[in-house]
Each structure stands twice: as C-alpha cells, then as structure tokens.
Amino acid sequence: MALSQESAGAGRVSGRSPQGAERTADARSDPEHRSAPQETPRRAPGPTKATAPGEAPATTHDPAKPTRPAQPVKPAKPAAGVRRSRKALCLTLALLTTLLLLALISAGTGAYRIPTADVLASAQHRLGLGGAPLDRVGESVLWNVRLPRVVLALLVGAGLGCAGALMQGVFGNPLAEPGVIGISAGAAVGAVAAIGLGLRFFGNWTVTVCAFVAGLITVSAVYLLSRSGGKTEVVTLILTGIAVNAFAGALIGLFVFFADSGQVNQITFWQLGSLAQATWPRVLAVLPCAAAGLLIAPFYARRLDLLSLGERPARHLGIDVERLRLALILVVALLTAAAVAVAGVITFIGLLVPHLLRMANGPGHRFLVPGSALAGAVVLVAGDLAARNLAHPAELPLGVLTALIGSPFFFWLLRRTRRKQGGWA
C-alpha cells in the first residue's frame, strides 16, 4: 500500500501516470534506447547567459560550418572638419596666388606698359636681391604711380571684405554690409565735411579722423534702430540703411552746394569712389587703421561662431554679447572709415566676398574672417585693373563698377533669403 502511494506520488510529480513512469524507466535501462538521439539538442558545455524576456537568444559559432573570409576594411573617410580644413587651406593658397598674379599684372598694365619680368627685376633691385632697374620713366611710373595704387587697392579691399564678414556675424544675417546699411555713406559725410569746411586740425589725418567719427555714429544709430525685442530683423536693417543713405546723400548735396569748384571735384571723388589719387602718403595714412582692424578681427572668430548659435546659448557659454558687438562695431567702423577716407564710397565688396566664401567653405569664422580680407583684396585689385582698362584711355569710377556688379547679386540674394524664410511677414 505504501509502495503504491509512493509510485502515485512520483507519477503526479513528473506529470505522468505511474504506468508512463514505468515505461520511461524501462526505456532508459534498455541499451537500444540509450544510444538513440535525444529529441532536444544538447547545448555545448560552458557557461550560458540567461536571456531577458523578449530578447533573442545568443548564437554560438558552430566549428563544423565553414567561416567566411574576412572582408578587407575600407579606409575611413576623413571627418568633415578635416575636409573643411583642407578646403580652407586650398582656398587660401589659391587666393594668395591669384592676388600675387593680379598685383604683377596691375603693376605692369596701363598707358605705359611694363613687362612682368621687368617689374620683378626692378623689385629685386630695390630689395637688394639682384635684378636690374628700369629706365627713369619706367621706375617713376612703377614706384610712384602703379605700386601705390596696387597697395592701396589691397588695403581697401581687405578692409571692406573683413568688415562685411564681421557685420554679418554681428547682426546674425547675411544681408548686413557696411555700404548697404549706410556706414560707408556716413563715413563719406565725415570726409566730405572735412573737405568742405577746410578742416586741418589733425593734418593729413583730419579726413580719416572725421570719417571714422561719422562712421562710428552711423553704425551705432543703425545698430540701435534695427534691434527689436533683443534681435536684429533683416527688413528693419535694410530700411534703416535706406534712410541713413538718403540722409547722408542730402548732407553731401548740401556740402556740394556751398563748396567751391576745387572742393566739388574732391567731393565728387568721394561719391563715385576711385583709387586715381593713390600716393604713398595716402597709403601710409590708411595703413595703421587698416592694419589694426585686420589684426584684431581674427581674434574674435571663435566668439562669432558661438554668437551664431544665438544670444542665449552664447551667454551660457561665457560670451558677453553686448561687449562683443560693441568691440566688433568699433572694428567695422575703423576699417570702413579708413577705406572711405582714401578711396571714397565703394559698395558691395563686403556683401559679395563673405557670401562667396561661405558657399565655398561653410560659415566658420576662423577661415571666413581672414579669408574675406584676402578675397576682398583680390576683388578690388581686379576691379581697379578693370576700371583702368575697360574704357581706355578714360577710367571708370571704381565705386560705380562694383555697384554695377554687386547690385544684381544683392537682388538675387534678397530673393533667395526671402524664399528660404517663407516671406518677411
């Protein structure tokens, strides 16, 4: 009786009847059944890892199956930052080469043509590196007329290009430019006032100082009037520039009305923009302002990159936004005033150059700021060369030529920006 209860209990524990348990025991003791394969495959010995519910079980490698040969590892592509750095280096070398070639061509091209080999030989002779001097006329034309004009075009173009890149970074929009928003016209008013009133209290620096002060006042007014709710709107910026340009034009017309014939010719020069009166004293007058602005500007490139993220993120990253904008506005006014003081109003350089570089290498200011200075020098040297030769023997005003080229580009850019933003409203 006890034995039958134990057998029944064993049957209940195993989930089978006592007869089924007996048959299972007989099968296990039978040698034929002992060699038969099991229905459930046994796992390979070794530690096993429990799988969570819903997780696929880990697969193990079967040594009986042939393994696929290892695929060759493809070399990884360079990161975006490395590619951009290489592209920036290539663009810099291309711009430097182009600037050197244009400077040599511009120095030898004109009514008195000088071969490029003779230009290089004369420069080597002046530097004490051999070479040979030109004749008396050639030396005078090259060193007293052509080279001052080339160097002045280089300084003015670099200043305007760098000022345009800084303006677009400060205001945070692609339509900001010293000429478009009235800074060039305001600086011209200061220069014209110094000419019309016969001011001489700073000697040769009087026109530059007056242009700088007027440009600073103009850019401060534009900055304050175009800000609304802590940001600068594109439409407000352009409308403010239109108003400032109109007011500056009225002031210039007033000075023309009261000026004599000699002063009228000088004022007309400021309005049209030209490098025809380039001399070494003018180069030396603009050199300190342009050099100071061009040397200071690249140190703000990283902070401009942070400012492009927005004012609030820039403040969280430790950037004093207002102080940064004030410092850059001073640099822009210095560069623009220096350019206007010696070359008159030359517009659209600061608008075209940063955009072309931004399309070529992206919006990073570490290359954009110095690259805009270099490309601005290339554009203005090429523009001055074209202005001297397109209407030979006459000379086109350089400001008129840059406006003719830059206005269609500005119109295309305005429509492109409006289409991207889905309208101004």
Side-chain angles (χ1 to χ4, degrees), residues 280-325:
W280 287 119
R282 286 183 176 272
V283 171
L284 295 177
V286 72
L287 182 60
C289 298
L294 293 174
L295 290 175
I296 292 172
F299 290 100
Y300 289 94
R302 179 178 175 276
R303 279 172 274 188
L304 281 174
D305 287 337
L306 297 178
L307 184 61
S308 64
L309 301 175
E311 292 189 14
R312 183 173 296 177
R315 288 192 180 96
H316 288 316
L317 293 172
I319 302 298
D320 189 345
V321 176
E322 295 303 323
R323 185 176 180 180
L324 174 63
R325 281 181 170 163

Side-chain angles (χ1 to χ4, degrees), residues 138-159:
E139 285 283 304
S140 178
V141 169
L142 178 61
W143 291 95
N144 297 328
V145 178
R146 300 275 175 79
L147 287 182
R149 185 159 184 163
V150 172
V151 175
L152 194 62
L154 190 150
L155 291 175
V156 172

Side-chain angles (χ1 to χ4, degrees), residues 210-254:
C210 292
F212 172 72
V213 173
L216 180 61
I217 294 173
T218 304
V219 73
S220 300
V222 171
Y223 173 70
L224 293 175
L225 293 175
S226 60
R227 284 182 65 83
S228 176
K231 63 180 181 179
T232 305
E233 297 179 354
V234 176
V235 177
T236 307
L237 187 70
I238 296 175
L239 294 178
T240 305
I242 292 173
V244 169
N245 279 318
F247 185 69
L251 290 179
I252 291 174
L254 189 62

Side-chain angles (χ1 to χ4, degrees), residues 42-108:
R42 296 178 179 270
R43 292 185 179 179
T48 57
K49 180 180 178 182
T51 57
E55 182 180 353
T59 58
T60 58
H61 175 66
D62 189 357
K65 293 182 179 179
T67 58
R68 293 182 179 179
Q71 297 293 331
V73 180
K74 296 182 180 180
K77 295 183 179 180
V82 176
R83 292 198 303 269
R84 191 172 290 113
S85 299
R86 292 177 181 175
K87 186 183 292 186
L89 179 60
C90 294
L91 286 173
T92 302
L93 294 177
L95 289 173
L96 285 173
T97 305
T98 305
L99 181 60
L100 180 61
L101 292 176
L102 285 174
L104 290 175
I105 295 172
S106 181

Side-chain angles (χ1 to χ4, degrees), residues 353-374:
V353 169
H355 270 286
L356 295 176
L357 291 183
R358 195 178 287 111
M359 292 177 183
N361 195 61
H365 288 86
R366 294 184 181 182
F367 168 75
L368 186 62
V369 172
S372 296
L374 190 58

Side-chain angles (χ1 to χ4, degrees), residues 29 38 47 49 67 131 150 204 217 253 264 273 301 350 387 417 425:
S29 61
Q38 299 290 330
K49 180 180 178 182
T67 58
V150 172
N204 292 333
I217 294 173
V264 168
T417 305

